Amino acid sequence: MKKILITGGAGFIGSHVVRLFVEKYPDYHIYNLDALTYAGNLENLKDIESKSNYSFIKADITDAEVMNELFNKNQFDGVIHLAAESHVDRSISDPLAFIKTNILGTVNLLNAAKLAWKDEMDKHLFYHISTDEVYGSLGETGLFTETTAYDPRSPYSSSKASSDHLVRAYHHTYGMPVVISNCSNNYGPNQFPEKLIPLSINNIKNNKPIPIYGKGENIRDWLYVLDHARAIDDIYHQGKNGETYNIGGINEWTNIDLIHKLCEVMDKKLGREPGESAKLITFVKDRAGHDMRYAIDASKLYNELKWHPSLQFEEGIELTVDWYLNNEEWLNNIISGDYENYYKEQYKER
Ligand code: NAD
Ligand code: TYD
């Protein structure tokens, strides 16, 4: 039985990757390692937690000793590394937390893997999950390709860029088999409501202002989270050693257009008059250093691995809204904790 370690599996994207692997590969044992920070939530995996090919390990990747012990004890065949601090706004108020988890944590995993795999390095794989934000910010035209020079501009993207460089360094220096993927903005069920789409769904539902940074002209490419999980499956199994793959949705939206679309869907689902939810749109102080546009050229993935996004945005956003409206308890459990303090602090001067 193959043993695969998935880090950050209690988070948004990680939980979808864990579920996909546990269900699709009964002959793999999936170890989900997660520190259960504010963003980690085992509720995300309730439906699969009793499967015999699944185990949860509560551990912090910043603890080198614990990582070495785990790799030594379990002899993982492969790693899919998603654990990270992931929210740009939090990285602006507390960069060090991002340096610790995203850079130091990744090096700890690489070191533990290097030590455990030293005699048979070729039989293993370290798959590092990264973001398109490492490439910087685009103007009105152009797309990020796998060879676009790195130009990260927030503490979050800088810490992810550093971790990408380190993964490549372990490949070149120590011969570690690695793959890296850089994906655009994900949306879908189980996303923590600090990110634009779930935060807006929650506010619309509760008739609270929808905070749009600046003029809402910034552009993001949005991909449904299950399509990202499918791409991760394809890249883990078919990606070429040492290669990088961009993942994107061919789905660019300005923030303001996206929120108008979301308001339309929410009006329909909540039985409101058309235009009612959009009245909640409120322009607030811009994010410091706000990247203008991200857009991905994913043709390498389309051509070499034959992956394509399966959902149109219109379908994906309906599924997402339905999920949040049908999972009130999940949302209420989150927003009743530290979330309130975070929200007050983050939006107090906006
Ligand atoms: P998330 O914040 O929802 O989840 C992160 C998970 O990592 C949480 O479960 C958390 O408990 C865990 N974690 C954090 N610090 C840890 C530590 N020190 N030790 C162990 N576990 C720890 O993040 P997400 O949105 O699911 O993103 C997952 C990965 O995908 C990240 O590496 C992120 O950079 C990358 N990514 C995210 C997006 C996106 O749109 N969300 C897009 C591209 C790439
Ligand atoms: P976010 O979901 O934080 O993802 P990222 O910063 O990684 O792209 O934000 C998506 C876009 O929405 C980004 O341009 C910032 C903007 N935004 C708002 O306008 N208001 C908000 O309250 C948030 C959280 C984000």
Side-chain angles (χ1 to χ4, degrees):
M1 207 173 200
K2 271 205 170 150
K3 293 179 168 186
I4 300 180
L5 177 71
I6 300 183
T7 71
F12 166 47
I13 302 170
S15 60
H16 290 280
V17 176
V18 165
R19 178 176 301 99
L20 188 148
F21 273 70
V22 166
E23 288 181 340
K24 185 169 172 186
Y25 301 106
D27 52 336
Y28 290 179
H29 195 101
I30 303 302
Y31 295 83
N32 169 15
L33 183 159
D34 201 295
L36 299 181
T37 68
Y38 78 93
N41 185 351
L42 288 176
E43 291 279 305
N44 295 346
L45 291 165
K46 251 166 81 183
D47 55 321
I48 57 127
E49 68 187 5
S50 58
K51 298 261 183 182
S52 59
N53 65 334
Y54 170 76
S55 307
F56 176 67
I57 303 168
K58 185 171 184 313
D60 189 327
I61 59 170
T62 63
D63 191 331
E65 216 173 295
V66 170
M67 291 308 111
N68 287 338
E69 278 165 20
L70 275 172
F71 274 75
N72 190 25
K73 182 175 150 210
N74 291 295
Q75 292 298 320
F76 303 117
D77 293 284
V79 174
I80 305 177
H81 174 38
L82 296 105
E85 288 292 339
S86 68
H87 190 38
V88 174
D89 290 327
R90 288 187 194 250
S91 84
I92 294 169
S93 39
D94 182 13
L96 199 56
F98 287 68
I99 306 311
K100 283 183 187 153
T101 287
N102 299 359
I103 306 179
L104 190 63
T106 301
V107 175
N108 286 341
L109 287 169
L110 288 165
N111 281 339
K114 176 162 83 71
L115 195 64
W117 298 349
K118 62 180 184 308
D119 296 331
E120 287 182 319
M121 198 67 105
D122 291 354
K123 297 204 169 133
H124 298 85
L125 180 64
F126 192 102
Y127 179 3
H128 179 59
I129 307 298
S130 192
T131 165
D132 61 355
E133 304 191 24
V134 298
Y135 297 121
S137 179
L138 291 164
E140 279 174 21
T141 58
L143 299 169
F144 298 134
T145 72
E146 287 81 359
T147 55
T148 301
Y150 275 32
D151 183 23
R153 294 146 52 100
S154 73
Y156 165 64
S157 55
S158 306
S159 67
K160 291 297 291 188
S162 305
S163 62
D164 294 11
H165 289 319
L166 285 157
V167 171
R168 288 194 187 100
Y170 275 63
H171 175 67
H172 291 292
T173 310
Y174 306 112
M176 183 175 291
V178 307
V179 280
I180 298 178
S181 57
N182 297 80
C183 188
S184 58
N185 286 56
N186 284 215
Y187 71 99
N190 305 94
Q191 187 167 31
F192 194 86
E194 64 189 351
K195 306 277 168 51
L196 179 66
I197 291 180
L199 182 142
S200 303
I201 293 175
N202 183 43
N203 286 15
I204 294 169
K205 190 175 139 232
N206 294 306
N207 270 307
K208 282 173 59 180
I210 310 166
I212 305 289
Y213 297 166
K215 294 183 180 151
E217 288 168 347
N218 305 67
I219 295 175
R220 299 291 183 263
D221 172 68
W222 293 92
L223 180 69
Y224 193 63
V225 63
L226 283 167
D227 278 331
H228 189 189
R230 284 177 39 245
I232 290 173
D233 178 17
D234 291 349
I235 293 167
Y236 183 81
H237 290 100
Q238 299 162 49
K240 286 203 197 102
N241 184 8
E243 293 288 316
T244 295
Y245 297 88
N246 279 354
I247 312 174
I250 331 172
N251 181 38
E252 288 181 51
W253 290 78
T254 61
N255 291 337
I256 189 67
D257 286 349
L258 183 149
I259 291 302
H260 274 291
K261 177 81 212 158
L262 180 65
C263 287
E264 245 176 63
V265 176
M266 291 291 287
D267 281 343
K268 195 172 79 182
K269 301 280 176 190
L270 295 171
R272 293 181 181 171
E273 288 295 314
E276 207 178 321
S277 297
K279 288 184 194 150
L280 298 167
I281 292 175
T282 309
F283 292 95
V284 299
K285 190 175 154 208
D286 209 352
R287 172 185 280 171
H290 196 172
D291 286 342
M292 183 43 93
R293 176 170 167 256
Y294 305 141
I296 281 272
D297 176 350
S299 49
K300 179 172 171 182
L301 188 60
Y302 302 161
N303 296 332
E304 291 184 16
L305 270 53
K306 310 294 174 213
W307 171 94
H308 291 275
S310 71
L311 278 184
Q312 294 295 316
F313 189 64
E314 282 69 14
E315 286 171 82
I317 200 74
E318 285 223 16
L319 285 175
T320 305
V321 168
D322 284 341
W323 188 84
Y324 280 92
L325 295 180
N326 291 330
N327 287 273
E328 278 204 312
E329 201 184 322
W330 183 93
L331 193 57
N332 289 341
N333 285 344
I334 286 175
I335 59 177
S336 61
D338 283 345
Y339 182 73
E340 213 172 314
N341 295 333
Y342 163 79
Y343 196 92
K344 270 196 203 133
E345 193 56 33
Q346 185 60 38
Y347 292 93
K348 71 176 176 207
E349 282 166 13
R350 288 202 150 109

